């Protein structure tokens, strides 16, 4: 019975995966103009963050309101390298001479001139920060709302820090005007397409990775920790480690997303990684469905698209809509749009065997320990 | 010495504002386990109330005094509405309330933008509050002064804490609130109407945010996003102080204020923020449930 179901879901997942790949690699590049395609690349970067949030929050119950931090670390690591490469050997990035009045490159910029170091840093740096915060916080059983607030405070602190260090980080403007991508000129539409294909490929890889994780024993354990941390502890596992893995993986995904966002959009700045964008990452996930695999991705792309489509023409209306969307989805449809599929299916085919779909119920987050 | 003292006073006055915001948060967080992200917008509502009153009443002092109770009522009623419409449906899902109230806060910010415009507005401070009080002159001739408006805020905070403590300790509503905080189910079977108590708690907690909004008009401009930045610091105060624990909030707010201002003096604002954050995470290693906690038999 179990075997039969898993075979069927596996086949269906493979089909979905193939369909997604065809859409991303064959349909979109033909159907969309260069401008639209590079917008899509931007949305797909946001979707990568969403995959990580789906893992950490949807599966692990850790509401992280600070994914912007990891997105930003990855983005800044990449942008620093590209700025240095643009400036050429031995020169300083343009903005530094402008506001920094520095005579030479600050020491902590220097390693980023090496492409391999910079590429590794885009993932390892966020993962390291997530590891440090996560291991300190989860081991002391700080969780639920406490964790959400701390992750949010980290985002606030990073933004204020980046703005304060204007001379070396570009301050409020961030790192802008990125021209090249490892030797390719980003002004050339062909190279922009190449960036799009890289982004799409990475997203598919991350989805496959997330699926493997969710299907594995570890995935079961993560859900178990979300639903009853105490019980998992009594069974002899250390919930802190389980949560840490998901949090660090999510941070790495966000870092990679930030790194690819830079060549796709050409800028990284504090305004893109602060509290508000960090929560906006979560909105897409909530709308799409936090516990499913594809829900976060589709939700993130849909919300980002709606934002572009509406916010330029009607900025006020979009804000109302965004707020309302959040209220309605979280309060009344906690499983997101992904849970609608299950609801419809249950209604139309009442006799169908129960499938191991993602739980429509939100994680009953444990806060009792904190104050009750 | 004078320098140390002056940083100390700056820190105290940062802490006073934080505390005013954190008091309301702590109350509602402790009571219902919900995190109200729209609390920042209740602050904003209090601030705009002051602004509107000043347009009507030209005397800045009178309008400020009238603004205090009115802002309390306005923000309080907004809180009750929020509790009644959304939060009471959600309070078994605390993380979701956080997200829902953030959606509400987005909407409220846009409402403010549509009514008052995007640019910040300013109120006039009453003459009485514009000066400084000279505390003493040190041996090397450096004067130590405190701005009157900061003193006024400190006084406001002391009054608010006093009133809240008295209310919680000596009134029947206070007893009910404490009972619900300690054990909601037991309070309910003892015949306490927990739903009504929740609503009243929300009224008081949100009202305090309104008062904080009035206080903030004395320190800076009023704008649609004024609540967002300050509320994170206030949340940290509540987390570190221990949820639902007023004395924890009081100690932590002033400590964080002084820490922030002294680190800022030694380094820069941006480094200070990072150091304060690291200090908070370090503190939670020592006391993960905050400074003061209710003793319970629950695990972890």
């Amino acid at each position: 019975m179990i075997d039969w179901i898993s075979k069927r879901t596996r086949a269906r997942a493979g089909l979905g995966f193939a369909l997604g790949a065809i859409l991303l690699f064959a349909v979109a590049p033909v159907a969309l103009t260069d401008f639209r395609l590079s917008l899509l690349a931007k949305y797909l970067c946001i979707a990568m963050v969403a995959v990580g949030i789906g893992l950490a929050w949807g599966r692990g119950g850790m509401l992280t309101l600070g994914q912007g931090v990891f997105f930003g670390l990855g983005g800044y690591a990449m942008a620093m390298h590209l700025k240095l490469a643009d400036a050429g050997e031995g020169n300083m990035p343009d903005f530094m001479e402008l506001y920094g009045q520095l005579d030479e490159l600050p020491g902590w910029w220097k390693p980023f001139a090496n492409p391999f170091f910079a590429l590794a840093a885009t993932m390892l740096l966020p993962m390291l920060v997530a590891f440090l915060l996560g291991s300190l916080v989860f081991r002391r059983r700080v969780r639920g709302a406490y964790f959400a607030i701390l992750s949010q405070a980290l985002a606030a602190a990073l933004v204020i820090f980046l703005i304060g260090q204007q001379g070396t980080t570009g301050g409020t403007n961030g790192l802008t005007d990125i021209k090249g991508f490892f030797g390719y000129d980003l002004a050339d539409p062909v190279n922009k397409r190449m960036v799009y294909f890289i982004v799409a490929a990475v997203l598919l890889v991350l989805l496959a990775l997330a699926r493997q994780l969710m299907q594995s024993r570890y995935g079961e354990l993560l859900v178990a920790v979300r639903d009853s941390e105490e019980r998992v502890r009594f069974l002899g596992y250390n919930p802190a480690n389980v949560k840490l893995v998901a949090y660090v993986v999510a941070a790495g995904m966000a870092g990679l997303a930030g790194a690819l966002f830079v060549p796709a959009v050409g800028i990284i700045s504090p305004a893109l990684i602060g509290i508000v964008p960090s929560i906006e990452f979560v909105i897409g996930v909530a709308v799409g469905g936090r516990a499913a695999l594809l829900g976060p991705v589709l939700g993130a792309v849909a919300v980002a698209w709606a934002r572009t489509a509406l916010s330029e023409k009607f900025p006020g209306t979009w804000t109302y809509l965004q707020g309302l969307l959040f209220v309605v989805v979280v309060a009344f449809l906690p499983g997101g749009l992904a849970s609608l599929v299950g609801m419809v299916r249950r209604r139309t085919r009442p006799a169908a065997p129960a499938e191991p779909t993602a739980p429509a119920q939100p994680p009953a987050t444990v806060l009792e320990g904190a104050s009750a | 010495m004078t320098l140390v003292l002056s940083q100390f006073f700056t820190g105290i006055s940062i802490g006073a504002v934080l505390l005013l915001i954190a008091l309301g948060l702590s109350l509602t967080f402790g009571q219902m386990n919900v995190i109200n992200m729209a609390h920042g917008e209740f602050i904003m509502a209090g601030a705009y109330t002051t602004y509107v009153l000043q347009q009507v009443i030209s005397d800045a002092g009178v309008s400020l005094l009238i603004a205090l109770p009115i802002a309390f009522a306005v923000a309080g009623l907004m809180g009750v509405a929020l509790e009644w419409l959304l939060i009471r449906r959600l309070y078994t899902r605390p993380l979701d309330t956080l997200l829902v109230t953030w959606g509400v806060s987005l909407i409220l910010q846009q409402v403010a933008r549509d009514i008052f415009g995007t640019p910040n507005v300013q109120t006039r401070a009453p003459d009485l509050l514009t000066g400084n009080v000279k505390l003493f002159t040190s041996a090397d001739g450096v004067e130590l002064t405190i701005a009157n408006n900061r003193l006024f805020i400190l006084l406001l905070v002391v009054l608010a804490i006093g009133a809240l403590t008295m209310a919680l300790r000596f009134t029947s509503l206070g007893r009910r609130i404490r009972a619900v905080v300690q054990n909601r189910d037991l309070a309910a079977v003892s015949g306490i109407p927990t739903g009504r108590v929740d609503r009243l708690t929300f009224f008081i907690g949100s009202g305090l945010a309104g008062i904080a909004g009035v206080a903030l008009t004395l320190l800076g401009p009023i704008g649609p996003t004024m609540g967002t930045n300050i509320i994170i610091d206030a949340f940290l105060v509540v987390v570190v102080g221990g949820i639902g624990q007023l004395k924890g909030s009081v100690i932590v707010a002033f400590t964080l204020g002084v820490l922030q201002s002294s680190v800022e003096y030694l380094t820069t604002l941006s480094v200070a923020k990072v150091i304060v954050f690291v200090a908070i995470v370090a503190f939670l290693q020592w006391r993960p449930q905050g400074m003061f906690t209710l003793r319970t038999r629950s695990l972890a």
Side-chain angles (χ1 to χ4, degrees):
Chain A
M1 177 77 180
I2 303 280
D3 239 22
W4 173 74
I5 289 171
S6 70
K7 225 174 247 170
R8 219 178 68 172
T9 40
R10 199 170 299 159
R12 192 182 296 158
L15 201 69
F17 204 73
L19 198 69
I22 292 171
L23 273 178
L24 284 178
F25 283 98
V27 179
V30 178
L32 299 178
T33 60
D34 284 342
F35 172 70
R36 298 255 160 220
L37 200 65
S38 75
L39 267 184
L40 182 60
K42 177 179 161 184
Y43 303 156
L44 295 183
C45 289
I46 296 171
M48 283 180 212
V49 184
V51 175
I53 296 178
L55 195 66
W57 179 40
R59 290 288 161 139
M62 291 167 273
L63 175 55
T64 156
L65 294 180
Q67 286 308 94
V69 171
F70 308 124
F71 184 79
L73 288 173
Y76 270 89
M78 176 63 95
M80 280 161 73
H81 172 70
L82 297 183
K83 284 305 271 186
L84 288 174
D86 280 353
E89 190 84 30
N91 292 328
M92 297 207 326
D94 42 10
F95 76 91
M96 277 196 190
E97 285 161 38
L98 213 60
Y99 343 104
Q101 279 129 25
L102 297 174
D103 301 324
E104 61 171 321
L105 202 60
W108 58 275
W109 267 72
K110 281 180 186 149
F112 288 93
N114 182 328
F116 299 106
F117 178 87
L119 269 183
T122 58
M123 282 190 85
L124 294 182
L125 209 61
M127 289 169 91
L128 179 71
V129 172
F131 177 78
L132 286 176
L133 181 67
S135 53
L136 287 174
V137 162
F138 298 140
R139 270 181 222 300
R140 295 303 290 161
R141 303 185 197 177
V142 172
R143 58 192 168 192
Y146 277 54
F147 172 72
I149 290 169
L150 282 177
S151 66
Q152 192 170 37
L154 181 65
L158 179 73
V159 164
I160 292 173
F161 181 76
L162 286 173
I163 292 175
Q165 311 298 312
Q166 193 184 25
T168 52
T169 61
T172 326
N173 295 332
L175 301 177
T176 56
D177 198 21
I178 283 152
K179 297 196 181 70
F181 182 59
F182 295 101
Y184 293 93
D185 181 10
L186 283 176
D188 188 344
V190 176
N191 293 338
K192 277 261 177 203
R193 285 191 160 236
M194 174 190 72
V195 170
Y196 165 79
F197 282 115
I198 295 175
V199 169
V202 169
L203 178 64
L204 286 183
V205 171
L206 292 188
L207 273 173
L209 178 75
R211 187 179 155 75
Q212 277 311 311
L213 266 180
M214 286 177 179
Q215 301 265 302
S216 67
R217 250 180 91 76
Y218 167 78
E220 302 276 315
L221 209 52
L222 186 64
V223 173
V225 168
R226 175 191 76 191
D227 291 343
S228 176
E229 197 168 325
E230 294 312 330
R231 204 172 297 174
V232 173
R233 183 172 290 120
F234 293 149
L235 289 172
Y237 296 96
N238 185 351
N241 292 340
V242 177
K243 290 163 94 172
L244 194 56
V245 170
Y247 187 51
V248 169
V249 168
M253 288 181 176
L256 201 53
L260 289 168
F261 185 86
V262 169
V265 180
I267 179 177
I268 186 84
S269 77
L272 292 166
I273 66 177
I275 296 168
V276 174
S278 294
I279 299 185
E280 280 172 356
F281 287 135
V282 175
I283 299 193
V285 177
V287 168
R290 60 185 82 159
L293 179 66
L294 277 183
V297 172
L298 298 179
V301 171
V303 171
W305 170 78
R307 181 193 184 79
T308 320
L310 287 171
S311 67
E312 278 156 23
K313 278 184 207 151
F314 322 98
T317 317
W318 167 244
T319 313
Y320 285 125
L321 206 66
Q322 195 183 16
L324 212 61
L325 193 67
F326 217 28
V327 171
V328 170
V329 168
V330 178
F332 303 107
L333 194 66
L337 297 180
S339 66
L340 277 183
V341 180
M343 275 184 212
V344 170
R345 192 181 294 153
R346 265 195 299 282
R347 210 153 282 174
T348 49
R349 276 194 311 172
E355 287 180 41
T357 44
Q361 278 304 307
T365 315
V366 188
L367 246 185
E368 300 92 310
S371 66
Chain B
M1 188 60 201
T2 328
L3 252 175
V4 174
L5 270 180
S6 106
Q7 286 311 312
F8 181 75
F9 281 120
T10 315
I12 292 286
S13 69
I14 296 175
V17 178
L18 271 185
L19 180 54
L20 210 44
I21 300 163
L23 276 181
L25 276 180
S26 175
L27 202 60
T28 51
F29 201 171
Q31 169 94 352
M32 296 172 72
N33 257 343
V34 300
I35 302 177
N36 180 12
M37 291 292 281
H39 201 75
E41 279 56 48
F42 298 161
I43 298 171
M44 173 192 80
Y48 275 117
T49 305
T50 321
Y51 171 75
V52 169
L53 282 172
Q54 204 169 70
Q55 306 301 307
V56 182
I57 304 165
S58 54
D59 186 318
V62 175
S63 70
L64 186 70
L65 284 183
I66 297 179
L68 286 171
I70 295 189
F72 185 87
V74 168
L77 288 176
M78 284 168 75
V80 170
L82 180 67
E83 199 274 342
W84 186 68
L85 286 172
L86 287 172
I87 291 177
R88 71 188 168 117
R89 298 165 204 276
L90 289 174
Y91 72 86
T92 52
R93 294 156 43 188
L95 283 187
D96 285 354
T97 40
L98 193 159
L99 297 174
V100 166
T101 50
W102 192 72
V104 172
S105 92
L106 269 183
I107 294 172
L108 291 178
Q109 282 178 22
Q110 190 57 36
V111 170
R113 253 179 235 123
D114 285 348
I115 299 178
F116 298 100
T118 311
N120 290 343
V121 295
Q122 197 105 37
T123 55
R124 283 168 291 112
D127 295 335
L128 193 64
L129 296 183
T130 50
N132 292 306
V133 178
K134 191 165 73 178
L135 285 185
F136 61 86
T137 313
S138 68
D140 46 353
V142 184
E143 283 182 355
L144 183 66
T145 58
I146 305 182
N148 280 351
N149 55 6
R150 301 237 173 215
L151 271 183
F152 175 76
I153 292 173
L154 203 56
L155 181 75
L156 207 59
V157 173
V158 171
L159 286 178
I161 297 171
L164 195 58
T165 314
M166 291 294 164
L168 284 179
R169 190 160 291 181
F170 298 117
T171 65
S172 70
L173 173 65
R175 262 196 303 279
R176 288 170 175 194
I177 290 178
R178 280 185 292 141
V180 176
V181 169
Q182 286 187 12
N183 193 328
R184 172 174 291 272
D185 296 335
L186 199 54
V189 282
S190 311
I192 293 176
T194 52
R196 204 186 307 158
V197 174
D198 285 341
R199 223 148 298 143
L200 281 168
T201 314
F202 240 81
F203 180 73
I204 298 172
S206 310
L208 286 170
I211 301 257
V214 178
L216 280 176
T217 61
L218 295 171
L219 298 178
I222 304 162
T225 55
M226 64 186 289
T228 313
N229 294 319
I230 195 156
I231 198 168
I232 310 268
D233 287 339
F235 271 134
L236 288 178
V237 168
V238 176
V239 166
V240 177
I243 288 171
Q245 299 293 307
L246 293 189
K247 62 184 169 186
S249 297
V250 173
I251 296 172
V252 171
F254 287 123
T255 313
L256 278 189
V258 171
L259 184 68
Q260 168 85 36
S261 81
S262 30
V263 178
E264 197 178 321
Y265 176 74
L266 295 173
T267 58
T268 58
L269 168 75
S270 62
V271 177
K273 276 281 172 203
V274 176
I275 290 181
V276 167
F277 180 77
V278 172
I280 286 170
V281 173
F283 177 84
L284 289 177
Q285 297 303 300
W286 176 48
R287 291 194 78 98
Q289 312 295 329
M291 189 170 275
F292 296 103
T293 41
L294 285 168
R295 285 177 189 283
T296 67
R297 285 169 193 272
S298 72
L299 296 159

